[in-house]
């Protein structure tokens, strides 16, 4: 093997640069050429790429986002785009590809593998909705971003006896809202995996304020509802002054946490080693602190990671979800 390529695809997250750096440095130290594909699969289809050196990745470790840039590529969903992407890789002399991204990126990676490309996927998405890994790259930094924001909101909320409804990202997954809610001591985490009754929430909010509590925080995952709708319902029912904060893309940026930097390094180096060992069609993951490998087809078929005892997830992740689920359905 002489030449490999790396790309970042889908929604960016902190730690992507650190993972690219690890791929480049591991590749170079194994006498491989490393090509960086720009703007994810779109760059692959449009043949936008550059040769990466140690200098290209110097000073990138601590920077959020992805210097290769990313895109959500509609052409990669269709057969002609997938064929062109595979043909371009072959013409570029690329013998192995590392794809860093979320569920959509893994579907693209599987299509390339089916067209004869040796491919290794690294799970990267703040949503933590990718099956067969306890944590995806970027999740820990996003949680820290959320925690910082909510701590600030609590200061101002308690100065005015206010309730704040804080909306997190997560697509259809409640992980960010739930875990940050526990870490921040929020009163509720409303998540798509679990139903809630607004009347019951309002009764508890009222009781809290009658007891003399000066603030309440309700986390809501974007898949469970809109912060403004929930704030309006609370105001209508109990008349509280309720404010909202939609955290949006703020959650995706910023310097990666030490956890994400280390995870990126482990994923990046393992991906190159796997390519050198002629492995293909696998996604790397984290299970009980160890790096594990799962067949990409199984990952893509795995669908959404449920907060459910029956979910096909590694046992430790399942246990953790069960514990969090219990906390979430209680009034904490
Ligand atoms: O998948 C990551 C994610 O940040 C989701 O949490 C969110 O729903 C979506 O991407 C936002 O996408 P975009 O950046 O394209 O608006």
């Amino acid at each position: 093997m002489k030449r490999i390529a790396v790309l970042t695809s889908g929604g960016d997250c902190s730690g992507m640069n650190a993972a690219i750096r690890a791929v480049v440095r591991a590749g170079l130290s194994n006498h491989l050429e490393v090509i960086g594909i720009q703007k994810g699969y779109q760059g692959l289809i449009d043949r936008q790429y550059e040769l990466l050196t140690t200098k290209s990745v110097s000073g990138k470790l601590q920077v959020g986002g992805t210097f290769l840039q990313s895109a959500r590529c509609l052409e990669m969903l269709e057969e002609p785009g997938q064929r062109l992407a595979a043909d371009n890789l072959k013409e570029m002399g690329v013998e192995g590809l590392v794809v860093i991204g979320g569920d959509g990126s893994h579907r693209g990676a599987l299509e390339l593998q089916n067209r004869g490309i040796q491919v290794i996927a690294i799970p990267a998405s703040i949503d933590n909705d990718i099956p067969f890994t306890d944590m995806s790259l970027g999740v820990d930094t996003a949680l820290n971003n959320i925690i910082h924001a909510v701590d600030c909101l609590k200061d101002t909320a308690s100065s005015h006896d206010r309730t704040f409804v804080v909306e997190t990202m997560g697509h259809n997954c409640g992980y960010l809202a739930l875990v940050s809610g526990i870490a921040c001591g929020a009163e509720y985490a409303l998540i798509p995996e679990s139903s809630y009754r607004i009347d019951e929430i309002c009764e508890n909010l009222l009781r809290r304020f009658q007891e003399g509590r000066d603030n309440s925080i309700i986390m809501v995952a974007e898949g469970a509802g809109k912060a403004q709708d929930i704030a309006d319902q609370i105001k209508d029912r109990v008349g509280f002054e309720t404010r909202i904060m939609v955290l949006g893309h703020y959650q995706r940026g910023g310097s990666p946490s030490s956890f994400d930097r280390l995870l990126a390094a482990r994923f990046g180096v393992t991906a190159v080693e796997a390519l050198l060992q002629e492995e293909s069609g696998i996604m790397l993951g984290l299970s009980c602190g160890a790096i594990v490998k799962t067949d990409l087809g199984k990952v893509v078929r795995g669908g959404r990671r449920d907060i459910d005892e029956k979910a096909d997830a590694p046992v430790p992740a399942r246990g953790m979800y069960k514990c969090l689920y219990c906390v979430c359905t209680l009034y904490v």
Side-chain angles (χ1 to χ4, degrees):
M1 177 172 280
K2 288 201 176 67
R3 176 178 272 199
I4 63 170
V6 58
L7 63 81
T8 48
S9 164
D12 69 291
C13 65
S14 292
M16 280 184 160
N17 278 330
I20 298 167
R21 175 181 179 272
V23 169
V24 171
R25 294 184 70 97
L28 294 178
S29 63
N30 282 288
H31 313 293
L32 299 172
E33 275 186 352
V34 186
I35 297 287
I37 314 279
Q38 289 144 5
K39 296 188 194 295
Y41 291 122
Q42 196 58 56
L44 191 49
I45 288 168
D46 299 340
R47 295 177 67 99
Q48 283 182 273
Y49 61 92
E50 59 185 300
L51 193 63
L52 298 176
T53 62
T54 47
K55 188 154 181 282
S56 324
V57 293
S58 166
K60 301 288 193 294
L61 172 67
Q62 70 278 19
V63 183
T66 160
F67 79 94
L68 287 177
Q69 297 195 292
S70 190
R72 298 193 192 277
C73 175
L74 296 179
E75 279 174 89
M76 196 60 191
L77 299 175
E78 308 289 341
E79 207 276 333
Q82 294 158 1
R83 192 164 14 93
L84 184 56
D87 289 348
N88 282 346
L89 279 169
K90 287 173 192 164
E91 271 179 40
M92 285 152 57
V94 170
E95 293 166 86
L97 175 68
V98 179
V99 171
I100 305 170
D103 49 0
S105 314
H106 298 159
R107 275 192 289 279
L110 185 61
E111 293 300 339
L112 293 175
Q113 142 89 14
N114 292 340
R115 286 167 179 75
I117 306 293
Q118 209 187 322
V119 59
I120 307 293
I122 291 178
S125 164
I126 66 165
D127 300 346
N128 216 23
D129 59 348
I130 302 170
F132 305 105
T133 183
D134 295 350
M135 290 288 271
S136 296
L137 206 55
V139 175
D140 187 65
T141 306
L143 282 174
N144 287 332
N145 288 342
I146 298 169
I147 287 166
H148 175 72
V150 175
D151 287 350
C152 292
L153 292 178
K154 271 195 156 186
D155 292 346
T156 171
S158 54
S159 305
H160 291 270
D161 283 334
R162 278 177 177 158
T163 294
F164 266 82
V165 183
V166 184
E167 187 178 311
T168 65
M169 277 190 169
H171 195 218
N172 292 321
C173 177
Y175 183 92
L176 287 177
L178 181 52
V179 176
S180 64
I182 292 167
C184 294
E187 276 57 62
Y188 278 98
L190 311 184
I191 58 172
E193 295 88 344
S194 175
S195 58
Y196 58 87
R197 289 197 313 108
I198 195 76
D199 288 330
E200 187 191 306
I201 292 172
C202 288
E203 276 165 31
N204 278 319
L205 291 179
L206 195 57
R207 182 175 54 77
R208 273 177 67 77
F209 280 98
Q210 282 164 353
E211 285 169 7
R213 314 288 188 97
D214 57 17
N215 76 88
S216 292
I217 302 287
I218 299 175
M219 306 300 298
V220 56
E222 64 176 342
K226 294 246 165 279
Q228 189 64 63
D229 292 345
I230 292 155
D232 290 345
Q233 290 180 61
I234 293 170
K235 186 146 191 348
D236 288 350
R237 282 172 169 76
V238 282
F240 283 166
E241 228 187 333
T242 305
R243 297 284 189 264
I244 68 155
M245 174 89 224
V246 179
L247 293 173
H249 291 79
Y250 159 83
Q251 295 161 92
R252 289 216 310 233
S255 184
S257 64
S258 57
F259 179 92
D260 276 328
R261 293 181 196 200
L262 295 172
L263 189 61
R266 293 173 79 193
F267 277 159
V269 170
T270 310
V272 173
E273 285 171 355
L275 287 176
L276 286 168
Q277 284 155 15
E278 298 186 359
E279 292 182 82
S280 183
I282 53 173
M283 185 195 79
L284 304 181
L286 186 72
S287 177
C288 264
I291 302 295
V292 294
K293 296 169 184 170
T294 306
D295 176 75
L296 206 43
K298 196 172 169 188
V299 175
V300 168
R301 283 191 306 276
R304 188 174 83 170
R305 198 162 70 164
D306 282 332
I307 300 179
D308 180 342
E309 256 189 298
K310 294 185 287 301
D312 189 10
V315 172
R318 206 163 64 203
M320 181 177 74
Y321 270 124
K322 187 155 186 269
C323 147
L324 297 177
Y325 175 75
C326 294
V327 175
C328 147
T329 52
L330 292 175
Y331 176 61
V332 291

